[in-house]
Amino acid sequence: MHCSYFDANICRSCTRMGVEFSRQIAVKQERLERMLAPWKPAWLAPCTGPESYFRNKAKMVAGGSTAAPTLGILGAGQEGVDLTGCGLYEPAVTASFEIVREFIRRASLTPFHVPTGRGELKHVLVTASPTGQLMVRFVLRSTESVVRIRKHLPWLREQLPTARVITANLLPERKALTEGAAELVLTEEELLPMPIRLDDADVLPLFVGPGAFFQTNSTIASGMYSQARAWMAGLEAAGLTHARVWDLYCGVGGFALALASPGRRLVGVEVSAPAVEAARRGAETMRERAGEPAGGAEFFVGDAAAAVRDLGGVPDVLVVNPPRRGLTDLAPWIERTAPRYLIYSSCNPRTLVTDLERMPGYRVREARLMDMFPQTDHMEAMVLAERR
């Protein structure tokens, strides 16, 4: 893949731009194998997807002026740099940019100017589902422009009929954040359907709401959920029955719902209330499907370390998908209470290694590279570990 922004030194975020894709994968695989060498796992083939047009979410900094807005990043002098032609975004995301830009002009939304601290519109966040439907969020400094957004909303919905969820997010502080805590939903729907097709052709009825985490690469998300399901099937084939499964840091319920099945007792825990709401919506949709019960999946809002005490007992299979800092206080609990199996999905292999070192009672049976972000050095991984 080649990029005109990269070649012109406008944006250098993709540090491996221009490197043959197969070579990128090989380098990542070699690095990951070195990091996990002490555990001697069996290696599965890397999970890869398209090298371009793969990002389902755009986090665009608003810059320029009301008459000539830019959507992209901040460049020299903290001025806006337009990146609407970036080749990483899914086509549905890219197709929305020009309409959103015209909406900014119509609604007289003044882009926030970092050097002076003036203006209202800080970011535009666009998320696309595999069906092409969109969630569009305008991140604002205050409610000053919400009236104008509402006034021109019919035009936006007419021009961008795929926009199922539209919101105004409030970020009054001058902080290096993408969004604030307050959200004004401007449409009837609050959740974006995010159906993910798995390797066995099943479709997970996932939903994503404003502020809820979801993997940026839908293809790799499918691979992750499929891998967890395949590992679970293998454990049951080897004799594990009526498994008690806990999915900690469950997000919108992707792993949990992929593993939901009659005969399994499944609990998902996530600190984000909007994410838990979305997970419950997905579970209810599964229950409504003819012949597809959700396997008794339940979801709760809570901190993972506190939840394991509140839930009581020990699961047969523990699924964890922690943030970049890793398991922190949870690793000692896992080592002490000894769930039989551990499925660990990691967005930071360095903390994965640290956590495994803190859990010497586990051996890593299998590992797999998950290439969530092509054109970069970023690696994600999944491991299946078993109590020794």
Side-chain angles (χ1 to χ4, degrees):
M1 178 181 174
H2 289 274
C3 171
S4 60
Y5 297 121
F6 185 89
D7 293 341
N9 205 32
I10 295 173
C11 174
R12 307 291 286 189
S13 299
C14 294
T15 55
R16 290 292 173 259
M17 183 63 65
V19 177
E20 186 69 31
F21 187 47
S22 60
R23 179 57 184 161
Q24 293 183 35
I25 299 299
V27 170
K28 291 179 182 181
Q29 181 69 27
E30 291 166 6
R31 287 173 51 207
L32 192 59
E33 288 186 10
R34 286 197 301 270
M35 296 175 73
L36 294 179
W39 290 271
K40 299 180 174 63
W43 284 96
L44 304 177
C47 179
T48 63
E51 62 177 300
S52 58
Y53 309 116
F54 61 85
R55 291 188 68 114
N56 58 33
K57 185 174 184 178
K59 300 179 180 181
M60 311 298 275
V61 176
S65 64
T66 302
T70 62
L71 297 174
I73 60 174
L74 292 178
Q78 298 292 290
E79 300 292 341
V81 175
D82 194 83
L83 294 181
T84 53
C86 175
L88 299 185
Y89 299 118
E90 290 186 3
V93 173
T94 302
S96 72
F97 289 149
E98 193 51 48
I99 297 172
V100 168
R101 190 157 25 208
E102 176 58 26
F103 180 76
I104 292 171
R105 289 189 283 262
R106 285 175 173 264
S108 298
L109 304 180
T110 305
F112 184 75
H113 187 239
V114 174
T116 62
R118 298 173 181 171
E120 283 294 314
L121 179 63
K122 292 186 172 183
H123 302 96
V124 175
L125 312 180
V126 182
T127 302
S129 79
T131 63
Q133 291 184 310
L134 301 174
M135 175 165 58
V136 181
R137 303 168 66 202
F138 297 95
V139 181
L140 309 168
R141 189 174 69 163
S142 73
T143 59
E144 182 272 334
S145 54
V146 172
V147 171
R148 296 194 304 280
I149 290 176
R150 290 186 184 276
K151 175 182 176 181
H152 294 278
L153 195 62
W155 180 90
L156 179 59
R157 302 196 71 177
E158 179 182 351
Q159 297 299 312
L160 195 61
T162 52
R164 184 183 179 102
V165 181
I166 302 173
T167 75
N169 178 275
L170 301 181
L171 179 60
E173 304 90 352
R174 291 196 66 175
K175 295 181 179 179
L177 299 174
T178 304
E179 59 192 80
E183 198 91 26
L184 305 176
V185 180
L186 307 176
T187 50
E188 298 81 7
E189 287 291 337
E190 298 185 11
L191 297 176
L192 176 70
M194 187 70 74
I196 299 294
R197 183 173 296 275
L198 304 184
D199 291 347
D200 58 7
D202 186 20
V203 177
L204 290 184
L206 303 183
F207 295 83
V208 178
F213 169 79
F214 188 79
Q215 285 82 7
T216 302
N217 188 325
S218 297
T219 300
I220 304 303
S222 171
M224 294 166 64
Y225 304 149
S226 295
Q227 184 60 66
R229 178 176 283 190
W231 276 335
M232 192 71 194
L235 298 180
E236 290 185 332
L240 180 66
T241 58
H242 305 293
R244 188 181 187 190
V245 183
W246 292 359
D247 179 8
L248 304 183
Y249 313 96
C250 71
V252 299
F255 284 112
L257 295 179
L259 299 181
S261 176
R264 297 176 191 159
R265 294 161 293 167
L266 200 144
V267 174
V269 178
E270 166 61 44
V271 72
S272 167
V276 170
E277 178 187 353
R280 289 171 176 165
R281 175 81 171 268
E284 182 61 32
T285 301
M286 289 184 71
R287 293 187 186 101
E288 292 172 354
R289 286 181 177 177
E292 289 198 31
E298 298 181 275
F299 295 94
F300 301 97
V301 178
D303 173 76
V308 295
R309 297 189 297 268
D310 297 338
L311 290 173
V314 180
D316 301 294
V317 180
L318 180 64
V319 181
V320 292
N321 182 26
R324 290 187 61 80
R325 65 179 180 272
L327 296 178
T328 56
D329 296 336
L330 196 59
W333 178 89
I334 297 173
E335 176 64 17
R336 184 176 66 254
T337 59
R340 185 174 177 185
Y341 299 102
L342 174 67
I343 296 175
Y344 191 139
S345 176
S346 170
C347 64
N348 185 357
R350 288 189 178 86
T351 53
L352 167 63
V353 168
T354 300
D355 288 336
L356 290 174
E357 290 173 342
R358 298 168 70 193
M359 299 183 292
Y362 286 86
R363 71 179 185 92
V364 179
R365 288 176 42 168
E366 293 184 336
R368 191 177 189 188
L369 168 69
M370 316 300 292
D371 189 37
M372 186 71 69
F373 295 100
Q375 316 305 331
T376 74
D377 289 320
H378 181 84
M379 297 188 300
E380 303 209 2
M382 288 183 67
V383 301
L384 171 64
E386 180 180 16
R387 193 70 181 183
R388 297 182 192 273

